[in-house]
Each structure stands twice: as C-alpha cells, then as structure tokens.
Amino acid sequence: MQTIKGIPVSPGVVIGRTFALDDERFRIAKRSIAPGADEQEVKRLDAALAQSKAELVEVQRSAERQMGAEAAKIFLFHLGMLSDRNLIGPMRDLIRKERVTAEYAVWRTFQDWAARFQAMKDSAFTTKANDLEDLAGRVLKQLIGEHKTRLNELHHEAVVVATDLTPSQTAGFDRDKVVAFATDLGGRTSHTSIVARALGIPAVVGCGDLTRVATDGTPVIVDGDRGLVILDPTPEQLDDYRRIIEQRRVFSLVV
C-alpha cells in the first residue's frame, strides 16, 4: 500500500485499476512487467521498430523527391540506426533482464546513447544526439499509440495514470472504461482540470513521481475530494471507501 498526495481538481471517489498512459514528450517511467511477459514485450518492440523503419523509408523517398539525394541521406542514417544491433540489442536485453516495458527500454537506451554522443568532443558526434531524440520519439509513438488502443479493450474500470494529459485526451476518454485519472504534473487551473470537472471525472494532479511507482493494473483508490491516490490499498481501506461510495449513491437517489 502506498498513498500519494496530490492536488484535488475534480471531486469524487472511485476504486479501479491503474492504466499507465505514457507520452513520448516526457521521461518514460520504469515500470515492471508480469513474470513471463518479457517475450511478448520484445515482440511489441520489434513490431514498433519495423513500423518505424517502414515509415522512414517513405520519409526518405519523399525527402529525396523534395530536397535531393544528399539532404535525404539523413533518413538513411536513421534507418541504419534502427537496424544496428548495438542499439537494438540492449533494448531487448533490458526487457528480458530487468523485466521492464518496451517503452522504457527504448527511452533508456536512446538516452544512454545520446549521453555518449554528447560527451564526445567532435561536433560530428554531438549533433547526432538530436537524431537519436528524433528516432526515440518515432519508435515511442508506435509503442504508445499501440498501447493507447488497448485502453478501449479493457474489461475493468481504469484509472489513467500519466505524466500529464491534454484537454483533448481527457475529453476523449470512454467514460464507460475510464473512471478517474491522476497525473504527475498539473494544477487546479489547468485546462485539463477544467475539462475533468466539467465531465465529472474524479481527478488528482500534481502527484510528483506517481508514474514511477504505479505498476500497470495495480488496484487503486482515487479520492478526488482530498487529493489522494492510494496504490494497492488494504482490505480495510477498500471497505471504507466502498462504504463512502455507497453512501454517496444512496444520497444522490434521495436528493
């Protein structure tokens, strides 16, 4: 059990399971995967790499038509990077040895490589750090986009946990599946908070490092009244909050 205090921005109390929603714009939190799920996660990685390479082939062809062969060579370099065993191998190793998500393995490996390039004195290497950032974003978009579609296939009530959310993301949630959300960033007056209140989605923001400690699928209580996120609550806490939820339901019928 772990209780995290944040900023209450939309009232209500719910019990559900966490659904970690990554965003390629931010640091990807290190999250564990279930025992035995590593090969499936490696398959996700390989599929994202293949999709990214197919995308880059089209980008390179388009760039060659519009800018000429010389300028388009940068995308051939990108394609080469995504086929480099020295880059891809450590991603697979991270998944298998540390049992982490493909998203984290991609983010971590690209970060490590970028740091190496930036540490080199030759500007020819330091400028490659930007290429790595571009590539990381491309592969992560594939993984995160695929991950988001899974939200529509859930069979349990989901509490979305994210670094941050945009107003359009919040407004687009399927209310039959998403019952609340909690984010690392955000404040009372953000547009996302305003949308949450308008839709009646209990929400807690400004939770600091919630995404780092929230494992996907963990039982969770979101107390949007007091600004609390309770991960893996005790049976006693679940009973207490179930009583609160039932009292509110009965009261709403009376009034």
Side-chain angles (χ1 to χ4, degrees):
M1 188 276 292
Q2 184 171 2
T3 300
I4 296 173
K5 184 77 173 73
I7 303 168
V9 295
S10 186
V13 174
V14 298
I15 299 171
R17 288 183 178 273
T18 57
F19 183 93
L21 196 63
D22 287 317
D23 190 321
E24 69 274 7
R25 298 172 300 167
F26 300 106
R27 179 189 185 280
I28 304 296
K30 184 178 182 179
R31 280 191 290 275
S32 299
I33 56 175
D38 51 329
E39 291 310 313
Q40 183 59 40
E41 209 66 13
V42 169
K43 287 180 181 178
R44 288 185 64 230
L45 168 64
D46 290 344
L49 291 168
Q51 289 162 348
S52 297
K53 285 190 280 190
E55 214 176 56
L56 278 168
V57 168
E58 293 304 313
V59 170
Q60 191 272 332
R61 288 172 180 168
S62 177
E64 190 168 355
R65 286 194 301 269
Q66 296 177 38
M67 300 182 295
E70 191 62 32
K73 281 183 179 178
I74 183 174
F75 299 108
L76 291 176
F77 167 73
H78 285 194
L79 274 165
M81 288 290 289
L82 290 188
S83 300
D84 190 332
R85 293 181 181 178
N86 292 317
L87 176 68
I88 307 307
M91 294 179 189
R92 295 190 181 111
D93 290 343
L94 263 177
I95 293 171
R96 289 173 173 137
K97 292 176 181 177
E98 298 190 25
R99 290 209 351 259
V100 294
T101 63
E103 287 88 344
Y104 178 76
V106 168
W107 180 85
R108 163 85 173 274
T109 303
F110 273 114
Q111 287 285 308
D112 290 348
W113 271 63
R116 286 184 220 166
F117 279 140
Q118 287 168 341
M120 295 177 183
K121 294 179 181 180
D122 190 332
S123 62
F125 288 103
T126 56
T127 55
K128 295 295 188 295
N130 288 336
D131 292 309
L132 290 168
E133 183 179 345
D134 186 19
L135 272 177
R138 187 178 295 279
V139 179
L140 285 170
K141 276 183 181 178
Q142 298 291 345
L143 287 165
I144 292 168
E146 177 267 338
H147 189 60
K148 286 177 181 176
T149 61
R150 193 166 61 83
L151 187 58
N152 298 323
E153 300 167 0
L154 290 178
H155 300 293
H156 61 75
E157 294 185 322
V159 172
V160 169
V161 173
T163 301
D164 203 2
L165 292 168
T166 66
S168 59
Q169 282 177 309
T170 307
F173 286 146
D174 181 345
R175 293 300 314 284
D176 291 332
K177 295 183 171 67
V178 177
V179 294
F181 71 80
T183 60
D184 293 341
L185 307 177
R188 294 181 191 277
T189 59
S190 72
H191 288 173
T192 298
S193 299
I194 293 168
V195 170
R197 286 193 293 273
L199 293 175
I201 301 176
V204 180
V205 302
C207 296
D209 61 351
L210 173 63
T211 56
R212 186 180 62 79
V213 296
T215 303
D216 213 19
T218 301
V220 62
I221 296 168
V222 174
D223 186 337
D225 299 334
R226 296 192 292 165
L228 300 178
V229 179
I230 306 172
L231 297 170
D232 202 14
T234 64
E236 293 77 17
Q237 288 173 317
L238 285 170
D239 287 342
D240 288 343
Y241 273 97
R242 286 188 184 116
R243 279 195 292 270
I244 292 171
I245 292 169
E246 178 61 16
Q247 287 168 0
R248 290 189 172 198
R249 187 189 69 81
V250 172
F251 179 75
S252 68
L253 293 175
V254 173
V255 299

